[in-house]
Amino acid sequence: MAQETEKKKRNYRKQIIWTVVVLTGPVWGLTVLLSLTSMGVFGELPNIAQIANPDTKLATEIITEDGETLGTFFRENRTAATFDELSPWLGKALVATEDERFYSHSGVDAKALARAVAYLGSKGGGSTLTQQLAKMQYNEPARNLVERIGQKLGEWIIAVQLERLYTKDEIIALYLNQLDFLYQAVGINSAARVYFNKKPIDLTIEEAAVFVAMAKNPSLYNPKRYPERTKQRRDQVFVQMVKNGMLTVAEKDSLQQIPLQLEFRPQSHTAGLAPYFREYLRGYMKEWIKDYEKRTGRELDLYSGGLKIYTTINAEMQQNAEEAVQEHLSNYQRIFDIIKEDRKYGPFYFDEDPAGNVKRIVDRAMKNTQRYRGMKRRGASQDSIQKAFATPIPMTVFTWNGDKDTVLSPRDSIVYYKGLYQVGMMSVEPQTGHVKAWVGGNDYQYFKYDHVKQGKRQVGSTFKPFVYASAILEKNYSPCMEVPNAKICIEKGEFGLIEDWCPSNSDDKYGGTKSLKHALANSMNTVTTFLMKQVGPRPVIDLARRMGITGDIPEVPSIALGTVDLSVYEMVGSYTTFANKGRYVQPIMVTRIEDKNGVVLEEFTPETRQVMSDRDAYVILKLLMGVTEDGTGVRLRHDLGKNFYRNNAVTGYPYTFTNEIAGKTGTTQNNSDGWFMGAVPNLITGVWTGCEDRAAHMGGGFGTYYGQGATAALPIWAVYMKKNYANPDLGISKSPFERPKGTLGIDVDCVPTTFDFDSGEGDDFDENF
């Protein structure tokens, strides 16, 4: 009996032990598994620092002076946003859709986990937002069940750690910063720009719901490729928000009626605002980083270091500049296309051996193409290369009305692109040197060459103010001084000339006298030659150097008519001297650079120097004001509206500016280059237009009118300034230029001579030698 009783006791103890084991075993087992997982037995855990600090792989951000993101340099296009920088609807929609008890759990939701196990995931998964954040760091999918269990346990461990380290709001921001929303939009900051052209703080509820819809599966709910499917998922987000008391049923019904509306702007180095400036900035930053690392010993990464580059570019003015180029050149190209229809050699214009010259141009361009170099590397013969370039193939070409699919031979495509007018345009604040807008070409995707700083072209009559300024500084001439309008020769032996130099006026008309102001206003070569004869080329070159011109200037008298090749950057910078009371200010594009933590690495100020007195600078401004009052720039004041060519190619200029404008047009031989330099008290803008090859141009006849700077370049300036003035908040001055205090001691207020457009005077068609 005693034995039986003892046996029952032993059985009872065993039952208790097994009951305890059964009930607590999973807990102990899970504890052991979690411990082993944390020790890395099942594989290395993701680095929590990388999860919590995605800025370890942040793109460098380019920021405009008005606080807009101009673009990024990236390997992974991610820029972090704090919770305060997010629309409140993002957090609400995300919690309602992905993790209803987010604010009540500590990283792992036991109730959701039990439901997922009980229903095998058919009623939703068990992962919290924090676990999903942890999961994003497992870059490779699990190869088997055991590995996935290990990953799941790792997610739990990291989720709990994150919950201890960060607030719930910070975890929401971390989560949204980690998501890849496709199209190189990594993180909510980039995604908001790519899909809606907004900052995250400005997203509406329906826009925020799109990103929450994408969070489930960005590829499946891609709003660009699958708008209907994405809208259905977005509308389900509204349902979840009603369920969680964030919306009323009526609000949900109203929101579901709103169509999916994107402002899709994919980020790339060739698209978006100011691509030529951004590409220049890339090279600038690479050199700066080398210098910074050499000076400090600290390593920086342009593409993943999360730098912030604060630039002087104004986003709205940049947009205005690009629109002005598009509006004018699209019409200007149409006129050129009409003119070249009558030519055997299309855009090219030669007086002698046109066929031979065109062949040389096209052959040279052909040898510079990747197609040609690739065929040469593969050992193709010259005959087979020529045949390939003469064979039509499908291709997409640039037009001012958008990309065009067509069939052309590669050789014909070269001629097509040679016949497209290009542009270089830069705008700078003369008092600070801050560059406000930079348009380096038509379309960076097709034309990589930057015509602002990289390109140098003949400047024509825009160089004449240096000659006039030298004469005023050296001889104290007055703008109102009368000079004979006679053909002037600089004779052999003077200034090293090997033969006489006797430039003509564009209209070949002479007689009487003209004031310096009238002569500059109408680009009279005779008067400019007279001044060059008085001062010689050396003082002109020295002045140009002090005014920031660094390009090659030969010491010959013909520089008076603008035979030198200079960049838009140099020309605009030099004109700051006139508008800034005689003080040259070197154009700058960057004000400061910060690291990813907001620590200022360097601040920048422009190089400046006093070149002339404020009185002399004002005298030159008065000369330049004459250009727009009584000369080649007078169309800024009046609508000349003339019909110069067939097919209703009417060119009118209804700008009617009434404020003081200092300006200078410029045109080179055969109208190959058209320039306009325009200045108001706090903004100087230079515009160059011309084809890639100087042999492609408007030519003579009607082309002479259309090819001059007043027709080719000035309208871009005018459209741009109209757009700037439309927004008073930009602060572009309409005030007069500030007159120096006291008496000038020189007459500057000459009585203007009536501008006679039909006479041909002032066409600004220089005879360059």
Side-chain angles (χ1 to χ4, degrees):
M1 189 72 178
Q3 289 181 346
E4 188 174 329
T5 302
E6 185 62 29
K7 184 178 180 181
K8 288 181 177 180
K9 287 181 179 179
R10 285 197 301 269
N11 290 336
Y12 180 68
R13 283 195 296 270
K14 287 180 180 180
Q15 289 175 359
I16 292 175
I17 290 171
W18 278 110
T19 301
V20 171
V21 170
V22 170
L23 292 175
T24 64
V27 176
W28 284 106
L30 183 59
T31 302
V32 171
L33 285 173
L34 289 171
S35 298
L36 293 173
T37 302
S38 66
M39 293 166 60
V41 172
F42 301 111
E44 186 178 355
L45 291 179
N47 188 336
I48 193 169
Q50 290 181 345
I51 300 172
N53 298 286
D55 57 352
T56 55
K57 295 180 286 186
L58 276 181
T60 288
E61 193 172 5
I62 307 165
I63 302 169
T64 65
E65 69 156 12
D66 43 343
E68 298 295 324
T69 297
L70 190 62
T72 51
F73 298 130
F74 58 86
R75 291 190 184 92
E76 185 178 89
N77 188 23
R78 182 205 311 273
T79 53
T82 65
F83 185 80
D84 291 339
E85 295 171 327
L86 304 178
S87 164
W89 293 115
L90 278 166
K92 291 180 179 180
L94 186 63
V95 168
T97 306
E98 295 292 328
D99 192 351
E100 294 174 316
R101 282 179 293 281
F102 176 69
Y103 286 101
S104 61
H105 65 64
S106 298
V108 178
D109 186 348
K111 185 176 179 180
L113 183 60
R115 181 195 62 209
V117 172
Y119 294 96
L120 300 178
S122 62
K123 292 191 176 183
S127 292
T128 64
L129 275 176
T130 320
Q131 287 174 264
Q132 292 179 43
L133 174 59
K135 182 181 178 181
M136 291 178 192
Q137 291 302 306
Y138 288 102
N139 297 319
E140 297 296 329
R143 289 168 291 185
N144 51 57
L145 180 61
V146 173
E147 192 170 296
R148 181 61 193 126
I149 290 173
Q151 287 185 354
K152 196 70 177 178
L153 294 171
E155 292 168 18
W156 290 359
I157 293 170
I158 295 170
V160 172
Q161 291 175 331
L162 287 171
E163 291 276 351
R164 290 174 180 170
L165 289 171
Y166 297 97
T167 67
K168 293 289 187 178
D169 289 347
E170 288 172 334
I171 289 171
I172 287 175
L174 289 171
Y175 179 88
L176 291 169
N177 285 332
Q178 285 282 2
L179 283 174
D180 186 342
F181 292 96
L182 309 178
Y183 301 107
Q184 296 181 327
V186 183
I188 191 63
N189 217 340
S190 296
R193 291 199 305 271
V194 168
Y195 288 96
F196 297 106
N197 193 31
K198 288 184 176 182
K199 297 178 181 179
I201 190 69
D202 298 322
L203 293 172
T204 63
I205 182 173
E206 64 271 17
E207 292 166 346
V210 169
F211 290 125
V212 174
M214 293 181 73
K216 184 174 181 64
N217 187 326
S219 296
L220 185 64
Y221 300 107
N222 178 342
K224 183 65 177 173
R225 292 191 64 185
Y226 310 116
E228 288 302 318
R229 183 190 300 168
T230 305
K231 181 181 181 301
Q232 290 173 6
R233 175 67 183 169
R234 182 205 70 175
D235 292 348
Q236 186 59 36
V237 172
F238 299 143
V239 173
Q240 287 297 114
M241 295 179 76
V242 172
K243 178 183 173 183
N244 287 272
M246 299 172 183
L247 291 176
T248 66
V249 173
E251 288 171 331
K252 176 209 65 168
D253 292 342
S254 177
L255 287 167
Q256 288 180 336
Q257 299 305 310
I258 299 175
L260 196 67
Q261 294 177 314
L262 304 178
E263 189 174 339
F264 187 63
R265 296 194 179 189
Q267 299 289 300
S268 75
H269 300 308
T270 62
L273 205 60
Y276 290 91
F277 170 75
R278 286 187 277 120
E279 191 56 30
Y280 164 77
L281 187 62
R282 183 203 303 276
Y284 173 89
M285 286 299 300
K286 286 180 178 179
E287 292 302 314
W288 179 84
I289 286 173
K290 285 181 185 177
D291 178 67
Y292 181 83
E293 290 178 340
K294 185 177 180 180
R295 286 186 282 117
T296 66
R298 177 183 175 185
E299 291 188 1
L300 298 175
D301 192 313
L302 180 62
Y303 299 102
S304 62
L307 301 177
K308 290 188 183 294
I309 308 169
Y310 290 88
T311 73
T312 61
I313 296 292
N314 181 284
E316 184 172 346
M317 293 174 70
Q318 178 69 33
Q319 185 69 43
N320 290 345
E322 293 184 14
E323 289 177 0
V325 166
Q326 164 71 33
E327 289 176 23
H328 174 65
L329 279 190
S330 59
N331 184 57
Y332 191 75
Q333 185 68 49
R334 178 179 64 85
I335 294 172
F336 185 43
D337 290 344
I338 293 171
I339 289 175
K340 69 185 184 183
E341 281 179 7
D342 296 333
R343 298 181 185 171
K344 182 177 180 180
Y345 299 101
F348 303 109
Y349 191 92
F350 290 100
D351 292 328
E352 297 179 0
D353 188 22
N357 283 317
V358 170
K359 185 178 186 304
R360 280 188 287 272
I361 290 171
V362 177
D363 284 348
R364 183 171 60 245
M366 183 181 73
K367 291 177 181 179
N368 288 329
T369 64
Q370 291 183 354
R371 183 189 303 274
Y372 182 91
R373 290 194 290 264
M375 293 184 73
K376 288 292 287 184
R377 281 195 302 269
R378 292 190 295 272
S381 67
Q382 195 63 32
D383 286 344
S384 63
I385 292 175
Q386 291 289 351
K387 183 178 179 181
F389 270 80
T391 303
I393 57 174
M395 64 175 67
T396 302
V397 297
F398 166 86
T399 78
W400 284 107
N401 297 316
D403 295 350
K404 179 182 178 181
D405 293 328
T406 186
V407 176
L408 282 175
S409 71
R411 191 176 186 87
D412 286 342
S413 73
I414 290 173
V415 176
Y416 171 77
Y417 281 121
K418 291 288 187 183
L420 286 176
Y421 263 78
Q422 304 285 334
V423 67
M425 177 181 183
M426 191 177 88
S427 208
V428 67
E429 185 177 63
Q431 291 76 24
T432 63
H434 288 184
V435 175
K436 302 293 187 178
W438 177 306
V439 184
N442 301 357
D443 187 319
Y444 190 78
Q445 180 180 346
Y446 291 93
F447 311 101
K448 300 294 191 288
Y449 193 78
D450 174 34
H451 290 287
V452 169
K453 205 166 194 297
Q454 187 178 6
K456 294 177 182 286
R457 293 290 285 255
Q458 263 192 14
V459 294
S461 292
T462 59
F463 195 82
K464 287 179 179 176
F466 296 111
V467 181
Y468 280 71
S470 297
I472 289 169
L473 294 174
E474 296 277 326
K475 304 292 185 180
N476 200 33
Y477 288 160
S478 161
C480 304
M481 184 181 81
E482 296 284 328
V483 175
N485 178 25
K487 203 164 189 178
I488 303 292
C489 289
I490 297 180
E491 297 174 354
K492 177 181 177 181
E494 288 187 86
F495 311 120
L497 285 181
I498 59 175
E499 59 182 357
D500 292 349
W501 183 61
C502 308
S504 304
N505 284 332
S506 60
D507 60 358
D508 210 29
K509 293 180 180 179
Y510 310 95
T513 61
K514 301 291 182 182
S515 69
L516 295 186
K517 185 174 182 180
H518 177 81
L520 181 64
N522 294 282
S523 272
M524 298 178 67
N525 292 335
T526 52
V527 175
T528 308
T529 307
F530 170 84
L531 296 177
M532 175 57 75
K533 191 176 179 70
Q534 306 306 305
V535 299
R538 175 44 53 186
V540 177
I541 295 171
D542 291 342
L543 177 63
R545 292 280 182 245
R546 295 199 302 274
M547 292 173 65
I549 300 296
T550 59
D552 181 47
I553 309 177
E555 192 172 340
V556 293
S558 62
I559 63 173
L561 304 186
T563 56
V564 296
D565 285 4
L566 301 173
S567 67
V568 172
Y569 174 88
E570 290 176 281
M571 289 301 294
V572 175
S574 69
Y575 272 57
T576 62
T577 308
F578 302 139
N580 192 35
K581 301 180 179 180
R583 190 170 191 81
Y584 164 75
V585 183
Q586 182 185 36
I588 65 168
M589 289 68 73
V590 178
T591 55
R592 75 179 187 277
I593 300 170
E594 295 179 357
D595 69 11
K596 63 185 179 183
N597 298 313
V599 176
V600 176
L601 303 179
E602 189 163 351
E603 294 183 293
F604 302 85
T605 54
E607 173 191 338
T608 66
R609 55 179 167 268
Q610 196 71 36
V611 175
M612 61 185 71
S613 69
D614 60 344
R615 171 261 200 189
D616 290 332
Y618 184 76
V619 170
I620 311 258
L621 280 176
K622 291 296 286 187
L623 283 169
L624 294 171
M625 281 185 254
V627 173
T628 66
E629 294 166 356
D630 178 40
T632 56
V634 74
R635 63 193 68 201
L636 291 172
R637 310 294 184 183
H638 309 289
D639 181 3
L640 299 178
K642 297 210 173 192
N643 188 347
F644 276 88
Y645 211 70
R646 58 186 172 87
N647 292 359
N648 297 317
V650 179
T651 305
Y653 298 89
Y655 304 125
T656 61
F657 290 100
T658 58
N659 54 302
E660 286 188 351
I661 299 169
K664 187 69 193 82
T665 56
T667 313
T668 62
Q669 187 73 9
N670 294 322
N671 306 299
S672 293
D673 305 275
W675 289 78
F676 183 70
M677 303 292 299
V680 295
N682 64 348
L683 192 69
I684 298 173
T685 303
V687 182
W688 165 85
T689 59
C691 292
E692 178 185 285
D693 198 284
R694 299 181 201 225
H697 51 72
M698 288 284 184
F702 290 112
T704 299
Y705 165 74
Y706 282 116
Q708 61 180 299
T711 310
L714 177 147
I716 295 175
W717 186 93
V719 174
Y720 169 62
M721 292 300 289
K722 281 284 188 181
K723 290 176 181 291
N724 288 340
Y725 282 139
N727 181 5
D729 291 340
L730 290 176
I732 308 303
S733 175
K734 286 187 175 181
S735 302
F737 289 94
E738 185 179 348
R739 189 182 180 106
K741 292 182 173 62
T743 59
L744 294 176
I746 191 170
D747 186 9
V748 296
D749 298 311
C750 317
V751 177
T753 305
T754 301
F755 177 74
D756 183 3
F757 189 89
D758 289 321
S759 71
E761 180 181 286
D763 277 358
D764 201 28
F765 179 52
D766 293 341
E767 217 177 279
N768 292 327
F769 290 79

